[in-house]
Amino acid sequence: MSNATENLVEVQDLFMYFPVTAGIMQKRVADVKAVDGISFFIKKGETLGLVGESGCGKTTTGRCILQLYDSMKGNIIFDGTDLTKLKREQMRRMRRYMQLIFQDPFASLDPRMTAGEIIGEPLKVHGLAKGQEYRDQVAELFRMVELEPFMADRYPHEFSGGQRQRIGIARALAVRPSFIVCDEPVSALDVSIQAQIIILLERLRDELNLTYLFIAHDLSVVRNISDRVAVMYLGKIVEITSADELYANPLHPYTIALLSAVPIPDPAVDRTRERIILTGDVPSPINPPRGCNFNPRCAQAMDICREETPELKNVGGEHWAACHLVK
Amino acid sequence: MVFIARGTDFWVGSVKMATTTDERILDVKELRTYFYTQEGEVKAVDGLSYHIDKGESVGLVGESACGKSVSALSILRLIPYPPGIIVGGEIFFQGQDLLKASESDMRHIRGNRIAMIFQEPTTSLNPVLTVKRQISEALELHRGMDKEASLQETIRLLKLVGIPDAEQRAQDYPFQFSGGMQQRIMIAMALSCDPALLIADEPTTSVDVTVQAQLLEILAELRDRLGTAILVITHNMGVVARYVDRVQVMYAGRLVETAPTDELYSNPKHPYTIGLLASVPRLDSERKKSLRIITGLPPNLARLPGGCAFHPRCEYAMDRCRVEAPTLEKISETHLRACFYDADKLKKY
C-alpha cells in the first residue's frame, strides 16, 4: 500500500481465529474469526484511529501487533523487523519499543502496588535505571502526565478515574517506546475528563515523537487525534483514509451509519441531521453472513452483496473502501 | 391552563402543549442527602430543587460524583443507611411527600409508579432467572396478573422495546443477550407497571454509539406513546441534546443552571455548562480545532471549597465567588443559573 521505509508498523494479511471447542476431547468445532485478513500501515509519527463496534476485532488487532497471541497468521513489520519471525527473548526486548494503554483504569492497575511502583516497574523489568536515576525518572514520568511526584506513595484507589488513566499512560511511557496502542483509553471516563486525556496524549505524541494506534468505538473521539482512520466491521477493514477525507466524504454505508449515530451537542443542528439507526447487533463472528459482512444491516444491500465479499478498493488518493456500491 | 414561555423552536412538532401545576409529577425541594464517612460529612446532594411535569423528559447532567445518582436514589429512598441519610428537604411525587411515606407505601411506589434503569444492565439483571421470569415477577406482584396474562404482557413489552423473536428470546437467560439487548430488557422491565416516572441513570454509558442511538430512540418513542415522564441522568451533554425537553446541570450536589434544551445549548449562561459543552468532541466543528477543557477535577464532596463550589476550576472566578455561594436566579422565565459573573460577558467557545 505504501513504501516500506517510512512506515513504523506494517500489518500484512493478518488473521486471528480463536478456536471454539466442545466435548470432553475439546474438539475444535468452529472458529471465532476475530480478525479476518486485514492489512494496513502506520507511518512514523502518525496516529491511526481504529474504529468499530464491540466485537469487531479492533482490540484483537492491537494485541496481534504486540504479539500477545501465539496462533495468529500474517506478518507484522515493526521498524523494518518482522515480529512474527523473532524468538521469544528477542521479542521480549523488542516490546520495550511498543506499549499498550488499557481501557479500564480500574482493572489495569494492581491495587496492591503504589503509583510509583506501577510506573517504575517497566524500568526495573527492562533494566533501564536504578538508584537515584530510577527515582528521578519516576518523578519525571509523574510530571510528564501532569501528576505530582509526591503522589508516588499512594495506591490506585486513592486516585480518580482520569488520574488512574494518567498513571497507565506514564507506565507505558516509562520505557521510552516509539509506538503505543491506545485501546479505548477514554471510553470509561467522563466527557470532561476524556478531553483532558486526549489533549495530554496529543501533547505527548508531539513532544516524544510517538506513533499511536488509537482504538475507539466512537468516531467523534478519534477525529481530533487521528491523522488517518480505519473503520472495522466483523474482523475486516471496510474503509480507511485520511481523517479529513473520512469525515468529509465517507463512502461505506457502515461508516455513514456510525457517523450519524454520534450525537451533536446542539439540538438545532442535531435535529436537521439524517439519523441512520442500525438495526440489530453485529452478527456472530463464528458464523459471519455470506457475501459482504454488513449486508444484513445495510439499507442499500443489493443481490451481489449477499453473494460476493467486496474487496478493499482504492477510490483515489489514500482512500480505500470495501463496498460494491463504491466504484 | 397556564402557558409557560419556551423557545419558539421547541414548540415546533412538540406534542405537549401546556404545563399546569396539577400535572407536576415530581417536585424536589431543597433536598439534602449526606453521607457520614471516615473522611467526614460528604454532602452528596446539598440543596437540590427541581420539578418534572407529566410527559416531560428532563436531562440531569454533571460529572462523576456530583450527586446525580444519589439524588435519583433519594427519590426512591434507596440511600443505604448508614452511612447515607436524607437530612432535609421534600420530595413530592404526584402530590405525596415521599420522605414522609411509610416503608410499605414506598414498596408500592418503587418499580411500580417510579421505575429506574441503571447503568450496568449486566449487574442489574439476575443471571439465574430467565428474562420471562424476571419481567413477569413484577407483573404478578404489582399488577396481580396470573401466569398466562403475565407471559403475554412480557412478550408484548419485549416487542415494544424492539427485541426480535420475543416469544423465543423470553426463555433465554440474560447472558445470552448483548449489552444493548440487556439494556432493552431493563427498559421493558421498568415499563412493566406503566410507571408515571422513569429514571434512567446513565442508560447508554456502557454501550456502543450505534446502540446508544437505538436506546435513546426507544426512550423518546415511549415518552411520546405512553406519556411517561423521564429523567435521564448523564455526563455527556451530547447524549441528551436531541431527546429531552429541559436540561439541568448539576455541580457538587446542586443545580448550577437549568433551561429548556434549545435555550441551554444555544445560550448557556454558567461557566461550567459552557465548559461541559465545549468538552464534547463535535463532528460538525473544524477538525483541528482543539478541545476546550475544564481544568482540574470535580471537588471532593467531603472538603468542598468555600463560596461557589466551582470557583477553583472557573476562569471567571472573582473574590466574591470565594466567599459567597450563588443561588439559582432567573435570567428569564424558564432559564435559571447560579453565578455571580455578568451573564452577557461570558465567552462561548
Side-chain angles (χ1 to χ4, degrees), chain B residues 182-201:
Chain B
Q182 288 180 354
Q183 197 59 290
R184 282 162 201 256
I185 293 166
M186 289 299 298
I187 297 175
M189 204 182 286
L191 290 172
S192 61
C193 295
D194 196 11
L197 174 66
L198 178 63
I199 302 173
D201 188 1

Side-chain angles (χ1 to χ4, degrees), chain B residues 37-291:
Chain B
T37 67
Q38 287 184 338
E39 282 197 62
E41 189 179 59
V42 177
K43 297 176 176 174
V45 176
D46 194 21
L48 179 71
S49 302
Y50 67 90
H51 64 90
I52 300 175
D53 293 326
K54 189 163 186 250
E56 189 182 34
S57 66
V58 174
L60 186 61
V61 185
E63 290 167 286
S64 300
C66 75
K68 312 185 291 284
S69 297
V70 171
S71 76
L73 292 173
S74 301
I75 295 171
L76 290 168
R77 292 232 322 252
L78 288 174
I79 300 296
Y81 171 81
I85 186 164
I86 299 173
V87 293
E90 291 166 314
I91 300 173
F92 287 100
F93 171 69
Q94 295 182 322
Q96 181 186 9
D97 189 347
L98 297 184
L99 297 184
K100 296 204 177 81
S102 69
E103 189 48 40
S104 76
D105 281 350
M106 280 313 292
R107 265 207 303 279
H108 283 292
I109 291 171
R110 285 185 205 126
N112 191 9
R113 286 157 65 199
I114 305 179
M116 189 154 173
I117 303 168
F118 298 92
Q119 178 174 351
E120 286 280 346
T122 324
T123 51
S124 310
L125 290 164
N126 187 336
V128 298
L129 295 180
T130 61
V131 165
K132 180 188 76 186
R133 186 71 213 120
Q134 298 190 47
I135 299 179
S136 58
E137 188 176 33
L139 292 168
E140 285 162 27
L141 213 68
H142 282 302
R143 285 171 65 181
M145 288 184 171
D146 62 24
K147 262 208 152 105
E148 187 49 36
S150 70
L151 177 63
Q152 290 311 319
E153 180 65 7
T154 300
I155 290 166
R156 189 187 69 83
L157 287 164
L158 291 176
K159 282 182 179 158
L160 190 72
V161 294
I163 293 194
D165 284 338
E167 288 89 351
Q168 278 299 312
R169 300 300 313 261
Q171 318 287 334
D172 287 347
Y173 289 89
F175 76 89
Q176 291 165 296
F177 291 85
S178 66
M181 286 292 162
Q182 288 180 354
Q183 197 59 290
R184 282 162 201 256
I185 293 166
M186 289 299 298
I187 297 175
M189 204 182 286
L191 290 172
S192 61
C193 295
D194 196 11
L197 174 66
L198 178 63
I199 302 173
D201 188 1
E202 302 262 11
T204 65
T205 304
S206 54
V207 298
D208 282 335
V209 268
T210 49
V211 180
Q212 170 177 305
Q214 291 171 3
L215 291 172
L216 291 169
E217 210 62 49
I218 289 174
L219 285 178
E221 205 188 301
L222 294 172
R223 199 268 313 254
D224 291 344
R225 268 167 61 182
L226 308 176
T228 314
I230 299 179
L231 177 68
V232 185
I233 300 176
T234 177
H235 65 90
N236 187 338
M237 294 285 283
V239 167
V240 290
R242 194 180 169 125
Y243 298 101
V244 299
D245 305 326
R246 202 150 47 78
V247 175
Q248 322 190 104
V249 182
M250 203 171 163
Y251 191 79
R254 296 160 173 249
L255 286 192
V256 295
E257 185 166 14
T258 172
T261 310
D262 283 22
E263 163 74 7
L264 190 89
Y265 284 82
S266 60
N267 202 11
K269 289 294 181 205
H270 193 285
Y272 181 60
T273 314
I274 295 173
L276 272 186
L277 271 171
S279 60
V280 181
R282 290 181 65 144
L283 282 178
D284 61 337
S285 66
E286 211 179 303
R287 195 176 74 81
K288 279 293 164 189
K289 187 180 159 195
S290 63
L291 294 168

Side-chain angles (χ1 to χ4, degrees), chain A residues 253 289-296 298 300-311 313 322-327:
Chain A
R290 208 176 128 91
C292 171
N293 279 339
F294 187 56
N295 86 67
C298 182
Q300 299 165 64
M302 308 170 291
D303 287 342
I304 186 173
C305 306
R306 287 178 265 273
E307 295 299 324
E308 229 177 276
T309 309
E311 296 284 313
K313 278 180 292 213
C323 177
H324 290 301
L325 285 168
V326 175
K327 293 284 173 287

